[in-house]
Amino acid sequence: MNTMTPASPIARSPAAEKPEPRLNDADTIATEIVEKLTYSIGKTVKAARLHDWLEATTLVVRDRIIDNWFDSTIRTYERQDKRVCYLSMEFLIGRLLRDAISNLNLTEPVREALARYDVDLDLVELLEPDAALGNGGLGRLAACFMESMATTGVPGFGYGIRYVHGFFRQEVVDGAQVELPETWLKHGNPWEFERRESSYEIGFGGKVSSIDENGKPRFVWRPAERVLAVAYDTPVVGWRGQHVNTLRLWSAQSLDPILLDAFNAGDHIGALLESNKAEAITRVLYPADSHQAGQELRLRQEYFFSSASLQDIIRRHLAQHDDLTNLADKVAIQLNDTHPAVSVAELMRLLVDVHGMEWDAAWKVTRDTFSYTNHTLLPEALETWPIHLFERLLPRQMQIIYQINAEVLREATTGKELDGATISAISLIDENNGRRVRMGQLAFVGSHAVNGVSALHTELMKETVFRDLHKVYPTRIENKTNGVTPRRWLFEANPGLTKLIEETIGPRFKDEIGELIKLDPHSEDAGFRERFAAVKRHNKTRLARLVEERLAIHLDPDAIFDIQVKRIHEYKRQLLNILETVALYEQIRSLPHLDWTPRVKIFAGKAAPSYVQAKEIIHLAGDVARVINSDPTVRGLLKVVFIPNYNVSLAEIIMPAADVSEQISTAGLEASGTGNMKFALNGALTIGTLDGANVEMLEHLGEDNIFIFGLKADEVARMRAEDHRGQSVIDKQPMLRSAIDSISAGVFSQDDPNRYANLMNSIRDRDWWMIAADFRAYWDTQRQLDMVWKDRAKWDAIAVRNTARMAWFSSDRSIDEYAHDIWRAGPKGA
């Protein structure tokens, strides 16, 4: 029997000990499901409920994944392949059963096996909870990348946090967002494996002392507090099951679960204090950092999973190799945004203090090992930490950051005359805002490659947030445009369209997504367009049914489904969409004789709990929906819906149903976007600004197949510099003025007429997000879409071309580029 675990570098077992390959026919799977139901769950077929069938089916599918998991791990060890370790605070993996069944090509045999017991696979899949391990695009990108690494054969480990509650479950009560705990682990998680042998102590606080060692000082950190990081592994299966990687998530535990002295003394609550403090680290994703306690917990989270991951990486490396000098030859570590940036200082501590490496050698190893993906051009989103907090929690790491900073500044100023402003911009320490550690700068200087996630974003990085560092290291920044996995976002989310494509161009596109372009000529085929439109209408009917069940709002599937689903943020400009909706509502009432195109406006997304303006936007969307949907004068021409608790599973229903994809961020602020890619892949027409990956989508789709409007990034920057005020634009646009005045006057909030006064005043005054500035262009482009909708042959042809031309935006292409250009790993990078 093969006893190897995916974490253990042992030789391949003799062939005689390896299990026979499992059969994948419906008979075998049906038998195995009943065996799991009986012996693992303790239920008879008659007594079993749907959740029992879910668990039994998961265990049967998991067995097949484990076989491939072991094979993939053994193969990686035997060939001594370079591994990619992807460090991310979020992995928005969604439901895993359908993903695994699809990638293993087991959908039909599993469906048939369950049907023999009158069990519907679709109903079983719906019972699986979404893993609450992320919020938005950052975490979904990490999930797509993990799946694509497995698909393309890149040996990969994802490292993150096993959040007990993760990001909150959103409800909307009286129009306002309410945050509730997400209980995705309440009934256990059959996909994960606890690895007790992979546990590491993580320290906080304490003191640093220096001891003499052979005439040189060696620094010893003695933490005042220690917690235990325990690994939980989830297999990530690639397409056709040919390679399986590992997602390793860390759970925090106290070294002493209970203080018996305190308990026996009657302090039953205090006896659990240390345990509760430790477990709080992995309780919730993104605790509110608007207060000091929240900031401290968030920094603890980031260091906790970074240190545990690095200790694990080093342990695995030393199990195969003699020392750490060749770490960068065998391991590539990708920092997904600034959250794991403390890893740079922590790896230096481990190399120098724990493993005795000389500073210069350790710094070379560190830089050669790390690479960093930047996801934002918003300066406030590039994390910084107060030095007093950082020094109190991580005193040795703070010393190391000071030393790194000194060397970076020395390197930057050698042979050059730099002014104080330039030196200040390069420094890892921000001296102008209460002295803070700049995590973006730390990630930048500690990496050999820094990448943006779209062509525009990468160029703007060089000109804005990292302008001065780019001058010092002019070859370090490069572009790697994001992508999405077509397995999840086409094959699984849209089986009707996938089947139609296969019938039209053959099945090869499933293995070579570039083959999708062969669909392009069929945009001129009336018969194909009709079948394509029928698939879309079926998907719209499914979404309409969900909305009616959840919100008791009836939607007409023959109307344009105009959808904006993403994290609620001012720069993403849900507010611009709402203002256009209000203006359209007023025009429909005022000019009922015009031939208005029926439209359904659908919103979804969560606002950070402490983000007041974003929560006001959600409230406004709900208030606008309530008024419009109950007004008979609209005659059903306009409906507005806000669907609560947006997550991956909801996205899988929404994306295939969209006619219009709203990608309307203020130009120059969206790093890339991946929702734009998922929508277009499913045949939605994009209305958007020239921002993020919209720029590259324009290039690949052609200007006749995407609807671009508004200011460009340089124009936004210029207008901000010129102190643009929205009122000057509002005065010239009666529709916009009327919409803003109606909202300000309480037309949509009669219970609290002043509810949105501040929100509207922010547009009248500063208009920082260019909502007033872009309103007219947005309105005109929406009416252009109305006209195209009336010519359904033209609309459907554009929709087909969107699907056909989106292959380049596959995450497989992104991973191939990372593997070749940055990681030097996997088949494309070795």
Side-chain angles (χ1 to χ4, degrees):
M1 179 179 177
N2 185 353
T3 59
M4 195 213 77
T5 68
S8 304
I10 70 172
R12 180 183 291 275
S13 301
E17 296 184 15
K18 186 178 179 182
E20 290 293 322
R22 298 171 193 271
L23 298 178
N24 291 329
D25 59 284
D27 289 340
T28 302
I29 290 173
T31 299
E32 292 184 14
I33 288 175
V34 173
E35 287 179 352
K36 295 292 186 185
L37 200 63
T38 304
Y39 298 110
S40 297
I41 301 171
K43 289 285 187 74
T44 65
V45 170
K46 288 187 176 180
R49 299 292 183 264
L50 270 181
H51 63 266
D52 300 315
W53 290 104
L54 168 64
E55 186 172 355
T57 305
T58 298
L59 293 175
V60 168
V61 173
R62 193 185 73 173
D63 286 348
R64 285 157 173 76
I65 294 173
I66 290 172
D67 292 339
N68 294 348
W69 198 13
F70 287 176
D71 285 344
S72 299
T73 305
I74 291 169
R75 196 163 54 242
T76 298
Y77 276 111
E78 287 183 343
R79 297 192 308 214
Q80 296 194 24
D81 289 339
K82 187 175 186 179
R83 288 183 183 82
V84 175
C85 298
Y86 198 85
L87 273 60
S88 179
M89 280 283 279
E90 299 185 42
F91 286 95
L92 200 53
I93 56 178
R95 294 169 175 157
L96 293 180
L97 179 59
R98 183 169 58 177
D99 197 47
I101 289 175
S102 176
N103 276 11
L104 291 172
N105 201 27
L106 291 176
T107 302
E108 291 313 312
V110 171
R111 186 181 300 280
E112 183 182 337
L114 288 171
R116 294 180 183 184
Y117 304 100
D118 296 322
V119 177
D120 187 337
L121 174 61
D122 294 335
L123 296 179
V124 168
E125 289 174 342
L126 287 174
L127 283 182
E128 182 179 8
D130 274 50
L133 300 171
N135 173 24
L138 180 84
R140 187 52 233 171
L141 179 76
C144 282
F145 277 9
M146 287 299 298
E147 194 269 356
S148 277
M149 277 193 266
T151 292
T152 59
V154 175
F157 252 80
Y159 282 105
I161 294 178
R162 182 181 179 267
Y163 302 103
V164 176
H165 297 298
F167 210 55
F168 61 85
R169 176 167 56 88
Q170 180 195 54
E171 291 189 4
V172 176
V173 178
D174 294 329
Q177 172 177 290
V178 175
E179 300 98 22
L180 299 171
E182 180 60 81
T183 57
W184 73 285
L185 283 173
K186 181 169 62 175
H187 300 297
N189 178 11
W191 293 108
E192 69 182 9
F193 296 84
E194 182 181 359
R195 303 298 190 199
R196 297 180 186 179
E197 71 280 6
S198 297
S199 300
Y200 304 95
E201 286 192 10
I202 311 298
F204 298 100
K207 296 180 179 179
V208 179
S209 58
S210 174
I211 61 174
D212 186 272
E213 196 171 79
N214 299 322
K216 295 182 179 180
R218 184 168 74 87
F219 294 93
V220 178
W221 176 32
R222 294 182 173 85
E225 176 190 348
R226 287 184 171 88
V227 300
L228 196 64
V230 179
Y232 286 78
D233 287 354
T234 299
V236 179
V237 60
W239 181 239
R240 306 291 190 193
Q242 294 178 359
H243 189 88
V244 181
N245 282 327
T246 302
L247 174 60
R248 174 159 287 185
L249 303 176
W250 300 105
S251 178
Q253 299 178 12
S254 173
L255 271 66
D256 297 310
I258 187 171
L259 302 177
L260 279 176
D261 288 349
F263 191 88
N264 291 333
D267 186 5
H268 302 150
I269 303 299
L272 299 174
L273 182 62
E274 291 303 311
S275 178
N276 290 336
K277 188 175 181 181
E279 292 174 6
I281 294 173
T282 54
R283 184 71 60 183
V284 175
L285 169 66
Y286 297 151
D289 57 2
S290 54
H291 47 76
Q292 185 171 337
Q295 290 180 24
E296 179 173 329
L297 179 55
R298 189 157 169 174
L299 180 55
R300 282 174 177 267
Q301 287 182 328
E302 294 180 3
Y303 176 70
F304 167 83
F305 100 91
S306 296
S307 180
S309 303
L310 292 172
Q311 291 183 61
D312 193 55
I313 291 166
I314 288 174
R315 176 199 60 79
R316 185 179 293 106
H317 180 82
L318 290 177
Q320 280 190 283
H321 307 286
D322 293 336
D323 59 40
L324 291 166
T325 56
N326 67 338
L327 181 66
D329 297 328
K330 297 299 179 181
V331 177
I333 304 177
Q334 189 73 32
L335 304 176
N336 191 29
D337 214 1
T338 57
H339 308 125
V342 68
S343 297
V344 173
E346 178 65 1
L347 182 56
M348 286 297 292
R349 184 188 73 83
L350 292 169
L351 294 176
V352 174
D353 295 358
V354 178
H355 294 279
M357 192 178 290
E358 293 292 333
W359 176 273
D360 290 344
W363 184 233
K364 184 179 187 310
V365 168
T366 296
R367 273 187 167 178
D368 290 347
T369 302
F370 281 119
S371 46
Y372 158 52
T373 300
N374 172 270
H375 284 278
T376 183
L377 297 172
L378 293 168
E380 63 269 23
L382 288 171
E383 286 186 313
T384 64
W385 296 108
I387 281 184
H388 64 82
L389 171 62
F390 205 104
E391 203 155 28
R392 176 167 59 82
L393 277 184
L394 305 170
R396 176 56 181 148
Q397 291 78 1
M398 190 67 244
Q399 290 179 344
I400 290 170
I401 289 171
Y402 275 126
Q403 190 168 349
I404 292 171
N405 193 46
E407 297 201 8
V408 167
L409 292 177
R410 186 161 50 247
E411 184 178 356
T413 56
T414 298
K416 302 172 187 174
E417 290 285 339
L418 299 181
D419 59 30
T422 302
I423 292 173
S424 176
I426 293 170
S427 176
L428 308 188
I429 310 299
D430 183 355
E431 304 283 357
N432 301 316
N433 295 293
R435 302 197 71 235
R436 303 175 71 90
V437 184
R438 291 168 162 159
M439 304 309 285
Q441 260 88 340
L442 178 61
F444 189 111
V445 301
S447 300
H448 69 277
V450 177
N451 72 276
V453 290
S454 71
L456 175 63
H457 169 234
T458 299
E459 290 308 306
L460 290 173
M461 278 172 57
K462 298 174 183 178
E463 299 169 8
T464 57
V465 291
F466 293 130
R467 181 188 61 188
D468 295 287
L469 279 171
H470 174 58
K471 292 177 182 176
V472 178
Y473 307 105
T475 63
R476 191 163 295 185
I477 296 179
E478 57 185 273
N479 181 55
K480 293 289 171 279
T481 298
N482 284 343
V484 299
T485 167
R487 271 79 56 185
R488 170 81 69 154
W489 296 107
L490 179 59
F491 306 170
E492 297 167 40
N494 204 339
L497 181 55
T498 302
K499 181 181 178 182
L500 175 60
I501 295 170
E502 185 170 357
E503 290 171 352
T504 306
I505 65 171
R508 192 178 170 195
F509 77 98
K510 291 184 174 181
D511 297 286
E512 298 289 341
I513 194 62
E515 292 287 300
L516 206 57
I517 193 62
K518 291 182 177 179
L519 199 67
D520 200 85
H522 295 275
S523 64
E524 304 302 322
D525 180 343
F528 178 80
R529 290 198 306 266
E530 185 176 336
R531 295 168 69 196
F532 190 96
V535 171
K536 176 68 72 175
R537 194 182 190 284
H538 170 79
N539 294 332
K540 292 170 70 175
T541 300
R542 180 177 63 160
L543 177 57
R545 188 164 55 245
L546 179 146
V547 169
E548 189 144 25
E549 289 171 356
R550 295 190 184 182
L551 303 173
I553 299 173
H554 175 74
L555 304 182
D556 178 7
D558 292 319
I560 294 177
F561 276 24
D562 178 347
I563 301 180
Q564 186 175 19
V565 290
K566 53 185 76 246
R567 179 167 51 96
I568 309 298
H569 196 291
E570 288 170 285
Y571 90 82
K572 294 180 183 289
R573 297 204 297 190
Q574 286 91 353
L575 187 53
L576 175 61
N577 192 348
I578 295 169
L579 279 172
E580 191 270 341
T581 302
V582 171
L584 179 59
Y585 167 59
E586 294 183 340
Q587 289 293 298
I588 289 172
R589 292 202 304 170
S590 299
L591 303 168
H593 60 285
L594 296 183
D595 184 19
W596 296 103
T597 302
R599 189 179 286 252
V600 175
K601 291 272 195 172
I602 298 175
F603 299 86
K606 297 178 182 179
S610 59
Y611 193 171
V612 175
Q613 293 88 340
K615 295 176 85 168
E616 286 181 353
I617 290 169
I618 291 176
H619 205 161
L620 176 59
D623 280 344
V624 168
R626 175 178 46 78
V627 171
I628 291 177
N629 296 345
S630 60
D631 188 339
T633 67
V634 177
R635 310 184 312 282
L637 291 170
L638 181 62
K639 286 284 182 71
V640 183
V641 176
F642 186 95
I643 307 177
N645 204 41
Y646 182 58
N647 57 19
V648 176
S649 296
L650 184 55
E652 290 169 343
I653 296 174
I654 288 175
M655 302 291 180
D659 293 308
V660 173
S661 162
E662 296 270 356
Q663 308 298 329
I664 59 175
S665 53
T666 309
L669 295 180
E670 184 70 84
S672 170
T674 53
N676 47 2
M677 303 169 190
K678 297 164 195 166
F679 277 118
L681 182 63
N682 283 278
L685 279 57
T686 299
I687 180 171
T689 51
L690 274 178
D691 198 25
N694 286 356
V695 177
E696 287 145 296
M697 285 176 60
L698 172 64
E699 295 171 2
H700 285 265
L701 295 174
E703 62 182 13
D704 293 334
N705 301 303
I706 187 170
F707 294 79
I708 298 297
F709 73 93
L711 299 167
K712 298 181 178 66
D714 60 334
E715 295 170 328
V716 170
R718 184 173 66 251
M719 289 184 70
R720 284 178 168 178
E722 294 171 353
D723 201 25
H724 161 72
R725 290 290 185 269
Q727 192 64 53
S728 61
V729 177
I730 294 167
D731 289 340
K732 301 173 185 175
Q733 296 187 25
M735 278 190 301
L736 174 59
R737 182 174 65 248
S738 177
I740 290 176
D741 288 348
S742 293
I743 295 170
S744 298
V747 169
F748 301 94
S749 56
Q750 294 185 9
D751 58 321
D752 182 3
N754 294 318
R755 180 179 295 151
Y756 304 114
N758 290 336
L759 203 57
M760 294 301 101
N761 286 337
S762 70
I763 302 172
R764 292 188 179 104
D765 185 26
R766 200 177 182 200
D767 195 25
W768 185 252
W769 309 107
M770 300 294 150
I771 290 172
D774 269 348
F775 177 84
R776 185 70 209 198
Y778 180 56
W779 170 272
D780 290 343
T781 307
Q782 289 283 26
R783 304 293 73 78
Q784 182 185 354
L785 280 165
D786 286 341
M787 295 302 295
V788 177
W789 181 261
K790 289 176 170 49
D791 183 351
R792 290 309 303 274
K794 181 177 181 181
W795 183 285
D796 293 340
I798 295 173
V800 172
R801 288 193 286 270
N802 266 260
T803 295
R805 300 178 186 183
M806 284 302 294
W808 189 82
F809 294 93
S810 164
S811 49
D812 297 351
R813 185 267 315 154
S814 300
I815 289 301
D816 283 346
E817 291 181 3
Y818 275 96
H820 182 270
D821 300 335
I822 294 179
W823 301 332
R824 305 288 194 266
K828 295 291 180 71

